[in-house]
């Protein structure tokens, strides 16, 4: 079978100068260097045994050796690039910093700075050629070069802030002196990636070219023939003391909107760093080292780094790439339509079926809006829309590798859908349900091949919430679970394996959070106050707003189902909630629910009173308690999966590391005792689960 | 998706399309790639004016018959609403001179030659529907045909009304289910209904319309002409080997086809010129055909064809027949309406009428049919099709 033509030729489309086809050149494991016929040294980073380049202390140590050679015999110029297909350099190994004491940390950073300074000061023109991702330490490496050339697909950025840190290898200094400091600070404060074209317009890179022009462009840079677009005047202007003072205040205000200083110290440390030292490179460099060292030891950074590893852990469940390519989604409602759109965006061929054409029209529109938001290129949007086929007659089920059912939560309806699907599906295809409240044991009754049936529970909105609960029942075949995990990995979602029990993990944990909020509302607490209590804790959204966002009808339904199926005492849904749902006041989607909604935002009163001191505990601790119960009932394998699931499906205060980690940090005994106290004061619903005694 | 084989199983794609736009050269290939048929799918676009959608089927049929292909996707499409406005030649040359002017002085000189007429665009569609050899537009050829065969304004209007009513009935009875696929636009709009139909049309209302092409005495009006619209159609052709290999259930068999040409000024008679030899070659008379699809470019043109077949002189002298061929039963002709109500996206119609002929024959339990159409420029194409049980 002949391979597609471009796939055969693609491997030769990476310009490595004299190092093309060479596997070692020099005494180093992770670097190769050779000079070409024009006397230009080509230095390639290719981390041994890894599919992506990250900077480890060994990589740095070897770089020092490389610089020894370059300083001894300076070439005409230096071209630095990565040999990995996936990209330039993804950053510094987090393990280099995590767990080190302050003194050792300062040493490591100072050494790192020294090496990059040597690269910066090389008396020859140096050019970094960047393809794919160039993040964090990788960008700092590129900034130490005189020129940067981006291949069309390059993405540059400083994501350190998402780990509770800021750049620590000179990035804060070099970036604010290369491009408009306001743009530099914005990039570092948001952690957002810049595409090649944007990077060029800022002057962060000096050219954007397709791979086939790399050699010529690099040589032109070395010959000083490249036309650059450096920021120049804006840099000195905005780095002046007066400007910094004024701008820093504005930056603090902006940052506070998304990241309150009490929970996220890093953005403010970065702003202060620039405000105080932005006029003096040497002082700023020293201060950066000190500030970074401080940030690494903050609980926020430690917890966010933990979250990073939790994400990696869930990603690893995905395993190998999925062998399938076609997905059939049945039900074009809010969930089905979004699942279909996301799968199409990620390159799969999707057929979306519904009994009526109108939901399909709505799903296509939402898909088009999503694609246009996440893509810069109209061809990408077109291709993604081409992969999403509205399928009124459900014909796609015949060729699908995976069938996802996302119809309303009515048992008979779902069973009818399964019967029809199974009759037409490929025998080795997988049948999955997005159900949130009907037990799989009921749904699988009557199936011909129950071993190929499982739950894939997505969260809304699918494009933003990465977590998917992957629900097995006791007859699900292991290879079906493995294939489903692989599918989730292919669409860049995070699988959380859970057992088939009511509410699985996330909905079950959210229920007491939402119910308690409604109870507090009944008791006369203002909704803004309730939400404030949760936001002060670090939840991205308070429970009242969340209920409106999800939809009061859905909340009510899930609450009733869980109350019926779970042994734990839970307060009944209040009558006024039922009345509201009956009246059609469902929340954000109808413009009115518990809040009034305008332009997609809840209208909140500004003068609500501060929350009571125990409000946070009343809302958050029952969530933690449910997590403990789920652990005890073996619904989830371990605490790490619980923390990851809650963070990636609900946005549970990530800087706290997740509910279980929070409980441990606070003290298990303290949490348990608090729950007992709340039970005595407010009711049995707070009684701690027996599982607390099993926790060590 | 309805088929048991993958999209890359086809041998090639042929697409009829007349108004190809610059952004989509060779739309057959663009469609093939966007349909996920794989990089190795050969595809080309054919153009024989209104016959393009039938030409694609005919070419596919001949390739398969010759044995060089087993599975071909043949279609037809046109988006007449996307017809561009075109700069006239003098303006194009002016732009060229401007692009070549390098200095300020040279540019000023070019601007001195700017004329207001440069800003008045040519309506591409208008030019496309005018025959350059005889300098008549399509509607005018229908006027000539109706004059030569004595078709009256009233007869044309009556035909149009009946066509709309037949179409409305077919839509109401859902006879287009399985033939018509709804289209979904990016803004969520669903197009599942051809809205050109006017079920409440009456002869009295149509009588009030002014002639579209030759005022004030012409007979061809917007009400009794086909509508200028967008549309697309695909048909799958398979060899016997492919049918066996994939276990396919073909709906019909192409028995034969024939193309003919005549004076461009009476192009509307094209169907007569090509269907007649086709019938003769198989020893068939008009009434041996169970169902006819004769593209309704203009009501007067359809009626002109029917009159020509019943015209002794014309049949003897232009067709070489012993005498008039006869009459086609109106209940066997365009039974579910046609281009008058549905529209005539030029490149698509030939393909659509073949497809609809097959579906209508299956629905009515009929066996033998002819799909035929007149072609701007003075040609006609016909296909003899038998439904499979």
């Amino acid at each position: 079978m002949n391979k597609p033509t471009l796939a055969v030729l693609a491997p030769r489309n990476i310009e490595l100068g004299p190092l093309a086809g060479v596997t070692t050149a020099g005494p180093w494991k992770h670097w190769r260097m050779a000079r070409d016929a024009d006397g230009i040294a080509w230095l390639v980073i290719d981390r041994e045994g890894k599919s992506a380049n990250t900077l480890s202390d060994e990589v740095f140590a070897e770089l020092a050796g490389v610089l020894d050679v370059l300083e001894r015999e300076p070439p005409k110029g230096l071209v630095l690039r990565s040999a990995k297909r996936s990209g330039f350099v993804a950053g510094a190994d987090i393990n280099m910093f995590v767990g080190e004491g302050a003194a050792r940390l300062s040493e490591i950073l100072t050494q790192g700075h020294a090496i990059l300074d040597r690269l910066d000061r090389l008396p020859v023109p140096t050019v970094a050629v960047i393809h794919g991702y160039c993040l964090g330490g990788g960008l700092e490496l590129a900034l130490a070069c005189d020129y940067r050339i981006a291949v069309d697909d390059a993405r540059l950025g400083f994501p350190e802030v998402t780990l509770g840190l800021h750049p620590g290898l000179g990035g804060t200094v070099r970036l604010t002196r290369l491009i408009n400091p306001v743009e530099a600070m914005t990039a570092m404060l948001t952690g957002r990636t810049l595409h090649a074209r944007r990077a060029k317009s800022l002057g962060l890179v000096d050219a954007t070219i397709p791979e086939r022009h790399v050699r010529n462009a690099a040589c032109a840079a070395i010959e000083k023939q490249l036309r650059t677009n450096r920021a120049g005047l804006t840099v000195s202007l905005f780095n002046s003391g007066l400007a910094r003072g004024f701008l820093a205040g504005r930056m603090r205000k902006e940052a506070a909107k998304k990241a309150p200083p009490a929970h996220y110290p890093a953005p403010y440390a970065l702003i202060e760093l620039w405000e105080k030292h932005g006029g003096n490179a040497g002082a700023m460099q020293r201060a950066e080292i000190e500030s970074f060292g401080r940030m690494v030891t903050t609980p926020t950074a430690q917890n966010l780094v933990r979250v990073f590893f939790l994400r990696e852990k869930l990603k690893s469940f995905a395993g190998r790439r999925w062998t399938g390519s076609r997905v059939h989604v049945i039900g074009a409602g809010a969930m089905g339509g979004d699942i279909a759109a996301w799968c199409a965006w990620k390159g799969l061929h999707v057929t979306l079926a519904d009994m009526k054409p109108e939901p399909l029209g709505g799903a296509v529109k939402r898909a088009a809006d999503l694609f246009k938001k996440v893509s810069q290129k109209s061809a990408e949007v077109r291709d993604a829309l081409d992969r999403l086929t509205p399928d009124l007659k459900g014909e796609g089920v015949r060729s699908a590798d995976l069938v996802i059912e996302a119809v309303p939560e009515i048992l008979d309806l779902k069973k009818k859908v399964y019967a029809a699907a199974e009759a037409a599906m490929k025998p080795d295809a997988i049948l999955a349900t997005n159900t949130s409240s009907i037990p799989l044991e009921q749904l699988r009754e009557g199936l011909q091949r129950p071993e190929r049936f499982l739950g894939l529970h997505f969260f809304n909105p699918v494009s933003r919430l990465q977590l998917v609960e992957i629900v097995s029942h006791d007859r699900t075949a292991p290879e079906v679970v493995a294939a489903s995990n692989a599918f989730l990995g292919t669409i860049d979602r995070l699988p959380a394996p859970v057992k088939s029990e009511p509410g699985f993990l996330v909905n079950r944990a959210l229920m007491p959070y939402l119910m308690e909020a409604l109870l507090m509302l009944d008791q006369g607490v203002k909704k803004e106050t309730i939400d404030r209590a949760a936001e002060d804790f670090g939840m991205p959204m308070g429970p009242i707003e969340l209920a409106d966002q999800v939809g009061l009808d859905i909340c009510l339904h899930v609450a009733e189902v869980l109350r019926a199926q779970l042994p734990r005492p839970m307060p009944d849904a209040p009558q006024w909630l039922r009345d509201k749902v009956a009246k059609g006041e469902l929340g954000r989607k109808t413009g009115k629910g518990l809040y009034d909604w305008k332009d997609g935002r809840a209208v909140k009163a500004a003068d609500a009173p501060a929350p009571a001191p125990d409000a946070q505990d009343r809302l958050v601790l029952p969530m933690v308690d449910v997590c403990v119960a789920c652990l005890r009932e073996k619904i989830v394998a371990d605490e790490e999966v619980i923390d990851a699931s809650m963070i990636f499906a609900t946005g549970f205060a990530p800087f706290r590391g997740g509910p279980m980690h929070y409980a441990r940090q606070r003290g298990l005994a303290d949490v348990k005792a608090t729950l007992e106290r709340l039970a005595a004061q407010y009711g049995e619903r707070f009684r701690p689960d027996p599982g607390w005694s099993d926790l060590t | 998706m309805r088929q048991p084989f993958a999209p890359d199983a086809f041998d090639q794609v042929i697409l009829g399309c007349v108004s190809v736009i610059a952004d989509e050269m060779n739309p057959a290939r663009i469609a093939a790639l966007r349909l996920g048929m794989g990089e190795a799918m050969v595809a080309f676009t054919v153009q024989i004016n209104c016959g393009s959608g039938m030409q694609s089927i005919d070419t596919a049929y001949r390739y398969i018959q010759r044995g060089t292909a087993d599975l071909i996707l043949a279609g037809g499409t046109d988006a007449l609403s996307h017809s561009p406005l075109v700069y006239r030649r003098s303006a194009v040359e002016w732009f060229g001179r401007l692009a070549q002017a390098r200095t300020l002085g040279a540019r000023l000189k070019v601007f001195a030659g700017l004329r207001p007429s440069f800003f008045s665009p040519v309506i591409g569609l208008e030019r496309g529907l005018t025959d350059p050899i005889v300098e008549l537009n399509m509607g005018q050829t229908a006027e000539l045909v109706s004059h030569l065969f004595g078709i009256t304004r009233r007869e044309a209007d009556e035909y149009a009304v009946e066509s709309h009513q037949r179409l409305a009935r077919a839509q109401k009875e859902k006879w287009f289910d399985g033939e018509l696929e709804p289209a979904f636009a990016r803004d969520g709009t669903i197009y599942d209904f051809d809205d050109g139909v006017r079920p409440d049309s009456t002869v009295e209302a149509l009588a009030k319309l002014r002639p579209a092409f030759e005022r004030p005495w012409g007979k061809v009006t917007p009400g009794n002409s086909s509508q200028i619209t967008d549309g697309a159609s695909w048909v799958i052709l398979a060899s016997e080997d492919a049918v066996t290999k994939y276990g396919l259930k073909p709906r019909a068999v192409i028995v034969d086809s024939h193309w003919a040409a005549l004076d461009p000024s009476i192009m509307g008679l094209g169907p007569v010129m090509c269907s007649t030899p086709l019938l003769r070659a198989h020893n068939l008379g008009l009434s041996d055909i169970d169902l006819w699809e004769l593209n309704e470019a203009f009501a007067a043109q359809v009626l002109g064809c029917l009159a020509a077949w019943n015209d002794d002189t014309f049949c003897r002298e232009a067709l070489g027949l012993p005498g008039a061929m006869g009459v086609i039963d109106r209940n066997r002709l365009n039974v579910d309406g046609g281009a008058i109500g549905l529209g005539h996206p030029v490149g698509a119609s030939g393909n659509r009428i073949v497809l609809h002929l097959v579906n209508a024959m299956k629905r009515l339990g009929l066996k033998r049919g002819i799909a035929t159409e007149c072609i701007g420029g003075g040609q006609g194409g016909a296909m003899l099709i038998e439904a499979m049980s």
Side-chain angles (χ1 to χ4, degrees):
Chain A
M1 182 66 191
N2 291 334
K3 288 168 82 177
T5 46
L6 200 56
V8 171
L9 296 171
R12 51 180 95 168
N13 194 26
I14 179 161
E15 178 64 69
L16 293 172
L19 292 167
V22 173
T23 42
T24 47
W28 314 289
K29 282 205 301 206
H30 311 295
W31 300 88
R32 297 197 280 286
M33 184 159 67
R35 306 207 175 191
D36 68 14
D38 300 321
I40 296 174
W42 286 69
L43 173 61
V44 156
I45 173 172
D46 188 0
R47 191 148 168 204
E48 193 185 53
K50 301 242 177 203
S51 60
N53 283 325
T54 49
L55 304 173
S56 66
D57 35 21
E58 200 176 55
V59 171
F60 264 109
E62 287 194 340
L63 180 55
V66 169
L67 289 164
D68 286 341
V69 174
L70 288 168
E71 283 161 359
R72 240 188 359 253
E73 302 163 45
K76 181 155 169 234
L78 176 71
V79 178
L80 164 66
R81 80 165 311 172
S82 150
K84 305 279 187 212
R85 291 228 73 84
S86 45
F88 183 70
V89 177
D93 263 357
I94 302 187
N95 291 315
M96 261 174 78
F97 312 115
V98 161
E100 300 287 357
R104 174 79 191 118
L105 205 51
S106 180
E107 214 180 287
I108 296 173
L109 289 166
T110 310
Q111 278 170 9
H113 272 247
I115 293 173
L116 290 182
D117 284 349
R118 280 173 70 190
L119 177 58
D120 193 348
R121 287 195 306 263
L122 272 182
V124 303
T126 53
V127 185
V129 174
I130 300 164
H131 70 280
Y133 47 71
C134 173
L135 306 170
L139 182 50
E140 283 166 312
L141 178 62
L143 284 169
C145 295
D146 299 321
Y147 299 94
R148 280 147 300 281
I149 292 174
V151 180
D152 292 330
D153 63 345
R155 302 184 297 289
L156 301 86
F158 278 126
E160 287 86 342
V161 76
T162 62
L163 293 177
L165 306 168
H166 57 65
L169 284 170
T172 65
V173 186
R174 291 204 167 91
L175 190 62
T176 51
R177 302 182 92 76
L178 177 66
I179 70 175
N180 178 340
V182 175
E183 298 284 0
M185 289 298 288
T186 309
M188 291 190 281
L189 288 168
T190 58
R192 253 181 251 141
T193 17
L194 302 165
H195 287 258
R197 207 155 37 128
R198 175 104 180 99
K200 170 132 190 280
S201 69
L202 291 173
L204 172 56
V205 303
D206 302 304
T208 60
I209 49 167
E211 181 67 42
R212 56 190 170 277
H213 294 308
V214 162
R215 179 190 274 271
N216 283 335
C219 290
I222 288 170
E223 306 275 351
K224 306 217 202 291
Q225 301 279 354
L226 199 66
R227 266 197 292 185
T228 60
N229 178 30
R230 300 284 171 96
L233 193 58
T234 8
V235 173
S236 27
L237 210 62
F238 287 138
N239 272 332
S240 70
L242 205 60
R244 278 182 281 128
F246 170 67
L247 291 165
R250 291 263 301 274
M251 288 176 190
R252 281 192 189 96
K253 246 180 64 177
E254 276 305 307
K257 288 184 194 165
K258 289 263 171 69
H263 299 154
Y264 297 98
Y268 306 92
L270 174 60
I271 294 171
E272 193 183 319
L273 174 62
W274 177 66
E275 188 185 20
K276 282 216 183 100
H277 304 288
N280 182 330
M284 189 166 175
Q285 189 176 17
R286 286 189 296 279
E288 182 197 277
I289 293 176
E290 186 274 333
S291 177
F292 186 89
R294 243 185 320 122
M295 288 301 109
V296 169
T297 55
T298 58
T300 293
Q302 288 172 351
N303 287 338
L304 289 178
V305 168
R306 177 165 183 275
V307 170
F308 172 82
F309 284 120
L310 290 178
R311 178 180 265 123
E312 295 296 301
K313 173 171 172 154
L314 290 197
K315 270 213 282 224
S316 73
F317 290 159
R320 77 217 188 249
R321 179 157 181 106
W322 192 40
T323 49
S325 63
R326 310 192 93 87
V327 179
H328 183 70
V329 179
I330 305 177
M335 288 309 298
D338 286 4
I339 294 170
W342 187 255
C343 289
W345 179 245
K346 286 294 167 180
L348 301 176
H349 289 268
V350 185
T351 44
L352 176 60
D354 200 283
M355 297 198 310
K356 290 181 156 343
E358 288 78 14
L360 291 177
V364 169
K365 176 172 192 326
R366 289 196 309 276
D369 290 343
L370 171 68
F371 300 157
K372 282 189 272 203
K373 212 161 57 153
V374 295
S375 169
Q376 316 289 341
K377 307 182 191 153
S378 62
E380 264 183 3
V381 173
R382 174 200 71 202
D383 290 345
L385 285 171
D386 281 351
R387 289 191 291 266
L388 176 61
T389 304
D391 184 9
L392 204 50
K393 298 251 174 64
E395 322 246 26
V397 69
R398 279 191 289 269
S399 50
D401 302 306
L402 168 66
V403 178
I404 301 179
E405 168 272 303
V407 303
E409 296 282 87
I410 300 165
L411 180 60
D412 286 337
L413 174 59
K414 287 190 191 292
K415 281 184 150 175
K416 246 178 44 185
V417 165
Y418 300 156
E422 260 203 330
M425 271 165 73
K426 294 197 296 196
D428 59 348
I430 295 173
L431 178 63
T433 172
N434 185 47
T435 190
S436 52
S437 57
I438 305 183
L440 295 193
E441 289 71 21
Q442 284 182 22
L443 291 171
R444 74 173 177 203
E445 275 172 29
L447 283 181
Q448 311 272 25
R449 298 182 292 271
E451 67 279 5
R452 302 207 69 79
F453 175 71
L454 82 175
L456 287 178
H457 185 222
F458 288 79
F459 291 90
N460 188 355
V462 175
S463 56
R464 218 169 15 96
L465 295 176
Q466 279 194 291
L467 194 88
V468 178
E469 286 173 318
I470 171 167
V471 193
S472 323
H473 55 90
D474 60 10
R475 284 159 66 192
T476 312
E479 57 105 353
V480 167
V481 177
S484 304
N485 276 322
F487 157 71
L488 291 175
T490 300
I491 60 167
D492 193 27
R493 303 292 86 178
L494 301 170
V498 297
K499 235 175 58 175
S500 170
E501 293 291 336
F504 313 132
L505 170 67
V506 175
N507 279 355
R508 186 168 160 185
L510 281 178
M511 242 339 101
Y513 177 61
L514 295 177
M515 286 296 129
E516 191 64 26
L518 296 182
L519 230 125
M520 286 166 81
L521 205 56
D522 260 354
Q523 290 167 353
V525 185
K526 290 252 173 299
K527 43 188 193 287
E528 291 85 354
T529 305
I530 299 172
D531 277 353
R532 257 271 294 282
E535 285 158 17
D536 286 348
F537 176 78
M539 299 300 287
M541 197 183 287
I544 306 285
E545 198 182 333
L546 180 63
D548 264 0
Q549 178 92 280
V550 168
L552 296 181
D553 51 340
I554 295 178
C555 288
L556 184 60
H557 177 81
V558 176
E560 289 180 330
V561 165
L562 290 185
R563 190 156 172 274
Q565 296 176 7
L566 288 173
R568 182 197 182 77
M570 253 183 12
D572 195 7
Q575 184 55 38
W576 55 259
L577 179 65
R578 295 175 200 282
D579 293 341
K580 256 188 155 22
V581 172
K583 264 202 302 199
E585 290 172 10
L586 304 178
R588 177 168 179 217
K589 62 192 176 198
T590 58
K592 186 179 161 72
L594 294 164
Y595 283 111
D596 289 335
W597 288 77
K598 247 182 66 165
D599 297 329
R601 291 214 129 86
V603 177
K604 295 195 182 186
D607 55 352
D614 64 0
Q616 252 183 45
D617 280 346
R618 279 180 70 179
L619 291 169
V620 174
L621 294 190
M623 257 198 289
V624 181
D625 189 66
V626 167
C627 292
V628 171
C630 288
L631 195 60
R632 174 180 58 77
E633 294 175 23
K634 298 209 187 340
I635 291 173
V636 189
D638 58 42
E639 294 183 32
E640 293 191 325
V641 177
I642 291 181
D643 282 341
S645 302
M646 291 301 287
I647 292 170
F648 299 127
T650 74
F652 184 100
F655 69 92
R656 295 201 190 268
M660 297 306 296
H661 191 73
Y662 163 71
R664 286 187 177 278
Q665 299 279 36
R666 178 169 161 170
L668 296 174
D670 178 49
V671 177
K672 191 164 173 217
T674 312
L675 281 168
E676 301 276 8
R677 235 180 23 246
L678 290 170
Q681 189 175 1
Y682 293 107
E684 272 309 296
R685 61 189 186 276
F686 286 102
R687 189 69 55 197
D689 188 88
W692 284 95
S693 357
D694 299 332
L695 296 175
T696 42
Chain B
M1 282 191 320
R2 290 194 277 261
Q3 306 304 326
F5 49 79
D8 63 1
F10 285 96
D11 293 304
Q12 66 182 149
V13 176
I14 309 177
L15 180 68
C17 181
V18 175
S19 42
V20 175
I21 58 173
D23 282 337
E24 293 183 335
M25 301 304 277
N26 191 7
R29 172 66 172 164
I30 294 174
L33 289 172
R34 288 183 62 180
L35 285 170
M37 297 173 83
E39 67 169 44
M41 188 58 55
V42 173
F44 64 88
T45 308
V46 294
Q47 209 269 54
I48 177 175
N49 285 348
C50 324
S52 303
M54 187 182 284
Q55 179 67 63
S56 62
I57 296 178
D58 196 52
T59 304
Y61 158 55
R62 300 291 173 191
Y63 282 179
I64 291 175
Q65 204 182 45
R66 189 174 75 188
T68 52
D70 283 297
L71 209 55
I72 301 184
L73 184 65
T77 184
D78 255 307
L80 298 180
S81 68
H82 289 225
S83 293
L85 297 178
V86 179
Y87 281 110
R88 54 192 72 235
R89 180 108 211 104
S90 46
V92 172
E93 284 169 1
W94 183 84
F95 278 115
R97 291 199 296 278
L98 185 64
Q100 286 180 343
R102 296 270 171 236
T103 64
L104 182 61
R107 286 206 193 113
L108 285 175
K109 203 157 155 229
V110 174
F111 267 101
L114 184 60
R115 298 276 167 273
S117 63
F118 292 169
F119 293 108
S120 158
V122 171
I123 300 170
L125 191 56
E126 206 177 81
R127 303 315 294 162
L129 292 175
T130 302
D131 188 297
I133 301 296
V134 297
E135 294 182 313
L136 294 173
N137 63 45
M138 297 300 112
Q140 288 179 298
T141 68
E143 292 281 5
L144 184 51
V145 165
S146 72
H147 173 69
L148 295 171
F149 286 95
I151 312 297
T152 67
R153 164 75 184 259
R154 191 179 170 87
E155 284 169 333
D157 286 344
E158 279 173 353
Y159 180 91
V161 167
E162 187 180 51
S163 176
H164 276 285
Q165 286 171 350
R166 287 179 172 193
L167 174 60
R169 174 150 168 251
Q171 285 176 335
K172 195 162 129 247
E173 301 285 348
K174 298 197 185 313
W175 290 336
F176 290 109
D177 268 13
E179 178 175 320
L180 214 118
E181 282 297 318
F184 294 84
R186 286 187 184 192
D187 64 358
T189 315
I190 306 165
Y191 298 92
D192 59 356
F193 174 70
D194 284 297
D195 59 4
V197 66
R198 304 275 175 269
D200 308 327
S201 236
T202 61
V203 177
E204 292 72 36
L206 288 186
K208 298 201 186 102
L209 294 176
R210 294 203 299 157
F213 305 102
E214 294 185 336
R215 301 214 180 105
W217 301 298
K219 298 177 215 163
V220 180
T221 73
N224 60 32
S225 303
S226 63
Q227 300 175 40
I228 294 177
T229 54
D230 303 344
S233 165
W234 286 112
V235 162
I236 298 176
L237 288 97
S239 66
E240 217 174 317
D241 285 347
V243 169
T244 315
K245 177 174 173 190
Y246 295 112
L248 305 177
K249 299 193 180 48
R251 296 175 70 72
V253 175
I254 301 177
V255 176
D256 200 0
S257 68
H258 195 88
W259 301 79
L262 69 163
D263 192 303
S265 63
I266 43 172
M267 68 92 198
L269 295 175
V272 179
M273 308 310 291
C274 57
S275 305
T276 308
L278 185 57
L279 291 164
R280 297 276 302 270
H282 294 267
N283 278 322
L284 298 168
L286 291 176
S287 49
D288 293 320
I289 302 302
D290 301 324
L291 206 60
W292 287 86
E293 279 284 328
L294 197 155
N295 195 38
E296 299 175 345
F298 305 91
Q301 165 258 330
V302 177
L303 296 173
C305 290
L306 299 181
W309 264 313
N310 207 19
D311 188 302
D312 206 52
T313 310
F314 186 80
C315 285
R316 270 187 293 105
E317 297 187 15
L319 293 171
L321 298 173
M325 211 165 167
V327 171
I328 294 182
D329 179 355
R330 294 283 286 270
N331 289 324
R332 298 276 168 125
L333 172 67
N334 298 338
V335 295
D336 297 324
I340 288 176
L342 273 173
H344 177 30
V346 177
S349 294
N351 201 278
R352 180 189 70 74
I353 60 176
V354 169
L355 178 60
H356 188 69
L357 176 70
V358 169
N359 288 333
M361 285 199 291
K362 302 280 291 179
R363 182 181 91 234
L364 297 168
L366 298 171
K367 177 126 171 107
R368 195 186 282 130
I370 285 186
T372 179
E373 55 179 341
C374 57
I375 296 175
Q379 301 193 81
M383 302 206 103
L384 176 60
I385 311 230
E386 281 185 8
M388 297 202 71
S389 43

